[in-house]
Amino acid sequence: MDLQDIFISNLKAARKENKITQEKLAELCGTDTAYIGQIETRKRFPSILFIEKIAKALNIEAWILFKNKNETNNNQKEKIEKLKAEFLTMIDGDIDHLITKLIEESASA
């Protein structure tokens, strides 16, 4: 997925989350609906100034429109898996320690 695809995907998602139609977004940005449609269908790409208008209309920061959520999700999944492995290692160590302690206590009783 290239940067333009990421932008388009995030634009559509943010627009839908805010329950804003292409028509309403066009109105908020001072353009026509066809231009928003062309952006979302990859026929045209907006200028930086227009991206700022879009972000303002969607009540988000412009950089969010370029954030690769798939990459973020994959990084988060990797971090979760690492934490899970560390946690399980710690639990195994605690269980081994408790078993050893119980065996020692029952041997001395």
Side-chain angles (χ1 to χ4, degrees):
M1 183 179 272
D2 68 12
L3 196 54
Q4 188 172 355
D5 289 332
I6 293 167
F7 174 84
I8 292 167
S9 176
N10 290 340
L11 169 60
K12 289 178 183 179
R15 188 174 56 73
K16 290 175 183 176
E17 284 172 17
N18 286 294
K19 296 178 175 65
I20 295 176
T21 62
Q22 286 184 350
E23 293 82 9
K24 183 64 178 174
L25 181 59
E27 179 185 319
L28 292 169
C29 293
T31 192
D32 58 13
T33 305
Y35 183 56
I36 300 299
Q38 291 170 345
I39 292 170
E40 289 192 3
T41 57
R42 201 182 169 114
K43 292 178 183 159
R44 296 186 69 185
F45 196 78
S47 68
I48 295 296
L49 293 174
F50 198 80
I51 290 169
E52 289 175 338
K53 284 184 181 183
I54 292 171
K56 184 176 180 181
L58 296 172
N59 201 27
I60 60 174
E61 293 186 47
W63 66 268
I64 291 171
L65 293 168
F66 294 96
K67 185 175 180 184
N68 188 342
K69 293 177 182 171
N70 289 334
E71 186 176 299
T72 301
N73 288 341
N74 288 338
N75 288 342
Q76 288 174 343
K77 286 177 187 175
E78 288 175 19
K79 287 179 182 177
I80 289 169
E81 289 302 317
K82 285 180 184 177
L83 287 172
K84 205 169 21 173
E86 288 176 24
F87 184 68
L88 290 173
T89 301
M90 288 173 27
I91 289 174
D92 284 344
D94 289 345
I95 290 171
D96 288 344
H97 176 74
L98 287 172
I99 291 171
T100 303
K101 187 176 177 181
L102 287 171
I103 291 171
E104 290 172 355
E105 287 175 1
S106 36
S108 64

